[in-house]
Amino acid sequence: MFDKLSTVEARYEELKALQVKHDALLQELKVLLIPKDPNDEKNVILEIRAGTGGDEAALFAADLFRMYSRFAERQRWKLEVLSSSESGTGGIKEVIASIEGRGVYSRLKYESGVHRVQRVPATEASGRIHTSTATVAVLPEAEEVDIQINEKDLRVDTFCSSGPGGQSVNTTYSAVRITHIPTGVVVSQQDEKSQIKNRAKAMRVLRSRLYEMELRKQQEAIAKDRRSQVGTGERSEKIRTYNFPQSRITDHRINFTTHQLHNVLEGELTELLDQVSSFYNAQRLKEVTGVDSDEPGPTKH
């Protein structure tokens, strides 16, 4: 009698284990049905700019850059600041950086957009909560084979660098400003003392911006009747809110909320990025198969 019960229980446990394996394999098959993004393995150019909110927006931009820098460290990616402009209060008006590593774009491509913060600034005597914004752009870094730039389409201006930099500041024409005449895109670089190095960095940023513009044109041609996917140049929509009084982060695109704000700002972005990726993978799977994914939606916790 007991032997029969033990056999039934063992087979029941085996069935449960097989069901879990079946579900995992089914999910893998669904992911394989999604057309692979050819940019997923590319490095990225990360651009963060202070938006509305004055000094508080610049401080928030600095917080976001620190968050992505910490996440890059956790992933063992290489981050290099290409140019930056600081505010007088310790914030960042603008920072442009390259991030190199395995699958960088696949992890960060949905971070593009307007990020909003709600908190009491240190300078606010009455304790009122202020709302400020910063914009994030994640561009797949383009190689020369991706974007061909004709030298005759470039206007290159050199000028003396400004700000910290020692004896070379305002004495040598090391800073570079490159204008792509057909599109009007302008890139400036002055962080290096060498004009050659500044030009090389500026060309990296210019090439990636032109590549993203081309990607956006292709997507708009394919899907004229719907908005472009977040991460392809649409910056107007607020994609995420960071609420400090309630230690809450809400991603408005997927209706996902977590109260781990401190941990996220310390670079623990994995859960948040996974939730966003799962949502957009389900959307793409529906486009390919015409069938809704049976995955559960994002949860609030």
Side-chain angles (χ1 to χ4, degrees), residues 34-43 103 105-106 109 140-141 146 211 215 218-219 284:
I34 302 172
K36 186 172 177 60
D37 187 335
N39 293 314
D40 276 351
E41 295 303 317
K42 288 184 179 292
N43 300 323
Y105 185 71
S106 68
K109 62 183 176 181
E141 185 168 4
D146 297 320
Y211 183 58
L215 288 177
Q218 293 174 7
Q219 291 193 352
R284 294 180 67 193

Side-chain angles (χ1 to χ4, degrees), residues 182-195:
T183 61
V185 175
V186 180
V187 179
S188 298
Q189 178 61 240
Q190 64 173 13
D191 283 19
E192 299 286 347
K193 295 180 181 180
S194 163
Q195 184 184 124

Side-chain angles (χ1 to χ4, degrees), residues 76-122:
R76 300 183 184 276
W77 294 339
K78 178 185 175 183
L79 184 147
E80 178 188 6
V81 175
L82 300 180
S83 68
S84 63
S85 174
E86 298 180 358
S87 69
T89 57
I92 292 176
K93 295 179 182 178
E94 175 188 87
V95 61
I96 301 175
S98 69
I99 305 179
E100 301 177 1
R102 184 176 180 181
V104 178
Y105 185 71
S106 68
R107 291 300 278 157
L108 297 180
K109 62 183 176 181
Y110 298 120
E111 290 300 286
S112 292
V114 177
H115 295 238
R116 179 173 64 178
V117 63
Q118 295 173 328
R119 64 184 174 188
V120 179

Side-chain angles (χ1 to χ4, degrees), residues 55-64 116-122 124 127-132 242-245 261 265:
D55 289 340
E56 176 63 12
L59 290 171
F60 179 50
D63 289 341
L64 289 178
R116 179 173 64 178
V117 63
Q118 295 173 328
R119 64 184 174 188
V120 179
E124 176 56 61
R128 289 184 304 154
I129 296 174
H130 286 222
T131 298
S132 305
Y242 303 71
N243 183 292
F244 275 69
L261 183 143
L265 291 178

Side-chain angles (χ1 to χ4, degrees), residues 165-214:
Q167 294 181 348
S168 65
V169 173
N170 294 325
T171 61
T172 60
Y173 285 80
S174 58
V176 174
R177 181 186 300 109
I178 301 178
T179 303
H180 186 249
I181 298 171
T183 61
V185 175
V186 180
V187 179
S188 298
Q189 178 61 240
Q190 64 173 13
D191 283 19
E192 299 286 347
K193 295 180 181 180
S194 163
Q195 184 184 124
I196 295 175
K197 290 182 178 179
N198 279 329
R199 177 178 173 125
K201 284 187 174 182
M203 286 299 294
R204 288 177 67 183
V205 176
L206 175 62
R207 192 175 291 113
S208 295
R209 289 185 184 175
L210 294 178
Y211 183 58
E212 192 216 23
M213 289 174 66
E214 188 61 33

